[in-house]
Amino acid sequence: MHPLVRDLYKRVLHVGQDYPTGIDHVKQVWKKAIRNPKNCPSCYDDKGLRKATAFRSPTCEEELLHNVYQGRHMVKEMIGVIQLKKYRAMKERYGSNNNDELQLAMIELESQANTGIYMAKRT
């Protein structure tokens, strides 16, 4: 396995621990994608077996770099999905009611500051 592909797979496993569908699903999907000969056709022969000199050919190296770049982009998308999941969980836990109470308290404080009540209490 090429070192860049190995590094990408390690990143996926690290990010996949928090992924909503679970680490097992992430492992299955990414192993299938990494081993698929259609993703890097110049590295495989007609039977789907890896060529012995595949990593030495410039076309294979270019395809590999392009696919690793796309894989890193997918990892960033996975991180975005995880952050969205965490945001929704926090919003559900703490709700928007607390936010309304905070806004009312801020408006009350601002009105007190504008009318001078707050300043009178302070001096």
Side-chain angles (χ1 to χ4, degrees):
M1 183 182 286
H2 196 277
L4 290 174
V5 176
R6 188 179 309 120
D7 178 60
L8 177 66
Y9 189 67
K10 286 181 182 179
R11 290 178 193 220
V12 167
L13 291 181
H14 181 70
V15 171
Q17 293 172 354
D18 294 333
Y19 200 69
T21 58
I23 188 71
D24 295 331
H25 175 73
V26 171
K27 279 183 184 180
Q28 284 179 342
V29 170
W30 277 84
K31 275 187 182 181
K32 189 184 294 183
I34 287 174
R35 293 177 179 168
N36 190 355
K38 293 179 183 177
N39 290 333
C40 192
S42 65
C43 299
Y44 293 90
D45 60 7
D46 296 335
K47 297 177 184 176
L49 300 173
R50 185 183 304 260
K51 295 178 184 176
T53 60
F55 293 132
R56 296 182 192 147
S57 69
T59 56
C60 178
E61 190 70 27
E62 287 175 16
E63 283 183 2
L64 194 70
L65 289 175
H66 178 71
N67 290 336
V68 167
Y69 173 76
Q70 286 182 333
R72 288 184 180 172
H73 182 73
M74 291 300 297
V75 169
K76 290 177 186 175
E77 287 185 9
M78 287 173 64
I79 291 171
V81 169
I82 292 167
Q83 289 175 344
L84 180 64
K85 174 191 164 192
K86 289 181 180 179
Y87 168 75
R88 286 182 177 166
M90 286 182 65
K91 188 174 179 182
E92 183 180 319
R93 252 185 237 137
Y94 301 111
S96 62
N97 294 337
N98 295 338
N99 193 17
D100 293 339
E101 292 172 8
L102 265 166
Q103 286 179 350
L104 289 174
M106 286 296 292
I107 291 170
E108 184 180 332
L109 284 173
E110 287 174 359
S111 65
Q112 286 178 358
N114 291 338
T115 59
I117 296 172
Y118 181 71
M119 296 302 287
K121 288 181 182 178
R122 210 167 167 196
T123 55

